[in-house]
């Protein structure tokens, strides 16, 4: 695991220990034989390839040549390793800034004592929890590694988490082949968004780095937020703290400037997630016979969530906001396509100036009026 952080400089997070902890704690996947596992992996790869053509045809975005990002079918530890690599890359400026502050101020001595190892253990606990819930993921900012290839031209990689897909298809009691293709359609849409819109990745990275550059969070507070999450996961949160203990990491690090950036990021993420849901449903009826049943059961699963503990963690980690993004973004995409058609909607990808604002996500007609003119609204 030497590729995920050196031990010479402990830093704010011991990334190696985060990987080791998550891998040790990760739940076993569903019970499948070796032959069944091989068949699932092979089928997911076939569906991923087939999804490229389906998504391109429906969205009218990209060409066969635009795809240079690999598709990786991984298990839960594989998902952990890939995400630690991505987190380490994108959070580097923030953690370096916090490391500089660590020497001074009241939190410095405490952090010096507990070091990055405690943070690594607790981050590993969170990653272990999340690793059993993610079905697929397009890693936009993934760095290439020896065991984790990424796109040659700065692109990311598409991850499909095989044991989680099998677990959910069994839990929902849906047709496995249909469900696997349905998941691939969603994730392939994200891959198409970034490969067909060359400026999108750099724009998002710029926004995220601006957000992190504005962060003025005390290192001790950051550590406490990670510990809150880890204690929730371990059932260690004291009684009576549930209501106040639900602030997410995103809420923790907002300055006035960050709130503006966060509004723009929220709008973009709502667009990307909603567009993927819209495409998944649009392509579905022609290639996924049981799409209506899958969609209904999956929506019920999303809305219901799991236990009280799961709900608390989702709020703390900001996952509730992600669920809202699916819903609000899908409504925006559907409303715009109804007004101006697919080609009219695709003007959203022209430049950062044509991306919807957070207010326009809630009022699609305002985006149509701004980008297309009121005559078309």
């Amino acid at each position: 695991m030497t590729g995920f952080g050196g031990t010479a400089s402990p830093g704010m997070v011991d990334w190696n220990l985060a990987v080791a902890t998550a891998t040790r704690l990760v739940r076993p996947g569903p019970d499948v034989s070796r032959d069944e596992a091989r068949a699932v992996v092979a089928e997911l790869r076939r569906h991923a390839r087939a999804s490229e053509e389906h998504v391109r045809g429906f969205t009218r975005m990209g060409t066969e040549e635009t795809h240079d990002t690999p598709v990786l079918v991984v298990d839960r530890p594989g998902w952990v390793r890939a995400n630690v690599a991505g987190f380490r890359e994108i959070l580097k400026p923030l953690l370096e800034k916090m490391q500089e502050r660590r020497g001074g101020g009241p939190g410095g001595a405490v952090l010096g004592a507990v070091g990055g190892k405690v943070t690594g253990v607790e981050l590993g606990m969170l990653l272990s929890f999340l690793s059993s819930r993610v079905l697929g993921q397009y890693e936009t900012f993934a760095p290439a590694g020896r065991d984790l290839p990424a796109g040659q031209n700065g692109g990311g990689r598409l991850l499909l988490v095989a044991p989680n897909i099998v677990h959910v298809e069994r839990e929902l009691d849906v047709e496995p082949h249909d469900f696997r293709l349905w998941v691939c359609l969603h994730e392939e849409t994200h891959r198409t968004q970034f490969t067909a819109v060359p400026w999108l990745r750099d724009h998002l990275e710029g926004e995220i780095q601006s957000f992190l550059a504005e962060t003025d969070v005390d290192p001790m507070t950051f550590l406490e937020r990670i510990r809150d999450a880890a204690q929730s996961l371990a059932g260690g949160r004291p009684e009576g703290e549930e209501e106040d203990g639900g602030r997410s990491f995103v809420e923790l690090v907002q300055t006035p400037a960050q709130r503006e950036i966060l509004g723009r990021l929220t709008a973009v993420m709502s667009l990307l997630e909603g567009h993927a849901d819209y495409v998944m449903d649009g392509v579905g009826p022609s290639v996924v016979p049981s799409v209506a049943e899958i969609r209904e059961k999956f929506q019920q699963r999303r809305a219901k969530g799991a236990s009280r503990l799961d709900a608390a963690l989702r709020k703390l980690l900001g996952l509730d906001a992600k669920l809202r993004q699916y819903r609000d973004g899908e409504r925006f995409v559907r409303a715009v396509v109804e007004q101006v058609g697919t080609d009219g909607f695709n003007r959203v990808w022209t430049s950062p100036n044509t991306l919807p604002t957070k207010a326009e996500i809630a009022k699609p007609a305002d985006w149509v009026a701004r980008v297309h003119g009121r005559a078309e609204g």
Side-chain angles (χ1 to χ4, degrees):
M1 297 178 189
T2 54
F4 295 103
T7 55
S9 176
M12 291 289 299
V13 180
D14 186 330
W15 297 107
N16 285 341
L17 191 55
V19 172
T21 301
T23 302
R24 186 176 71 251
L25 296 177
V26 71
R27 299 177 183 176
D31 186 21
V32 295
S33 69
R34 188 181 297 270
D35 287 344
E36 286 175 312
R38 287 198 187 103
V40 170
V41 169
E43 183 173 28
L44 287 172
R45 286 178 177 150
R46 287 196 305 272
H47 285 332
R49 285 194 297 270
S51 294
E52 292 182 32
E53 185 175 347
H54 295 317
V55 170
R56 281 201 307 269
F58 184 80
T59 63
R60 303 177 195 171
M61 293 174 64
T63 65
E64 191 170 347
E65 288 71 32
T66 59
H67 287 70
D68 78 323
T69 53
V71 176
L72 306 180
V73 182
V74 298
D75 58 10
R76 291 168 179 175
W79 179 88
V80 168
R81 289 192 294 272
N83 274 266
V84 165
F87 289 158
R88 186 168 181 243
E89 186 78 10
I90 202 71
L91 292 176
K92 194 174 185 180
L94 173 63
L95 294 178
E96 287 177 350
K97 181 178 180 179
M98 291 170 64
Q99 179 78 9
E100 290 173 6
R101 294 187 56 181
R102 175 171 146 169
V110 178
L111 275 172
V114 298
K117 292 192 178 301
V118 171
T119 313
V121 167
E122 290 168 340
L123 183 59
M125 292 173 67
L126 295 178
L127 288 168
S128 172
F129 171 82
L130 293 171
S131 70
S132 63
R133 282 157 172 74
V134 176
L135 301 182
Q137 175 184 358
Y138 183 77
E139 281 200 291
T140 315
F141 309 110
R146 184 179 58 192
D147 301 320
L148 291 166
Q152 296 179 356
N153 299 319
R157 53 179 166 246
L158 180 61
L159 304 178
L160 297 170
V161 191
N164 296 350
I165 293 172
V166 172
H167 171 78
V168 173
E169 71 193 24
R170 290 179 178 180
E171 178 187 314
L172 298 181
D173 190 24
V174 293
E175 211 289 317
H177 306 293
D178 285 2
F179 184 74
R180 293 166 195 175
L181 177 55
W182 189 73
V183 170
C184 288
L185 289 170
H186 182 101
E187 303 308 330
E188 176 58 35
T189 302
H190 288 318
R191 187 169 175 239
T192 296
Q193 289 162 347
F194 284 95
T195 53
V197 185
W199 55 264
L200 184 58
R201 179 188 182 277
D202 289 343
H203 172 71
L204 261 184
E205 184 174 20
E207 292 278 54
I208 291 170
Q209 293 305 334
S210 295
F211 182 88
L212 295 177
E214 288 287 336
T215 297
D216 189 27
V217 60
D218 177 73
M220 190 61 193
T221 308
F222 180 79
L223 176 61
E224 287 173 351
R225 189 55 60 204
I226 293 180
R227 296 187 73 178
D228 276 350
Q231 287 171 4
S232 290
L233 185 57
R237 181 184 298 283
E239 278 301 316
E241 287 193 15
E242 289 83 354
E243 290 300 318
D244 191 48
R247 292 184 68 199
S248 74
F249 284 102
V250 169
E251 292 171 320
L252 178 72
V253 292
Q254 287 187 58
T255 64
Q258 280 181 305
R259 280 192 285 274
E260 292 185 19
I261 300 170
L262 186 62
R264 296 195 297 268
L265 281 171
T266 299
V268 175
M269 297 312 296
S270 296
L271 170 69
L272 298 179
E273 296 294 356
H275 185 230
D277 266 12
Y278 174 79
V279 171
M280 187 166 58
D281 288 346
V283 174
S286 63
V287 296
V288 182
S290 59
V291 65
E293 178 192 1
I294 291 173
R295 182 64 156 153
E296 181 181 0
K297 289 183 174 180
F298 197 76
Q299 286 290 73
Q300 289 173 355
R301 183 180 185 271
R302 268 185 187 169
K304 181 176 62 177
S307 64
R308 181 184 181 191
L309 168 63
D310 194 32
L313 268 170
R314 278 164 46 155
K315 184 176 181 183
L316 180 65
L317 297 171
L319 299 181
D320 282 345
K322 186 174 178 66
L323 296 179
R324 287 194 297 274
Q325 287 167 9
Y326 285 111
R327 184 178 63 245
D328 297 344
E330 196 272 343
R331 278 201 297 256
F332 170 83
V333 175
R334 189 171 299 280
V336 170
V337 172
E338 285 175 357
Q339 290 185 62
V340 295
T342 297
D343 291 335
F345 165 78
N346 280 343
R347 284 179 64 176
V348 78
W349 312 115
T350 304
S351 76
N353 293 329
T354 56
L355 291 171
T357 65
K358 190 175 179 182
E360 287 170 342
I361 288 288
K363 294 184 178 180
D366 289 354
W367 180 87
V368 173
R370 177 171 68 87
V371 175
H372 287 270
R374 295 203 174 269
E376 293 188 65

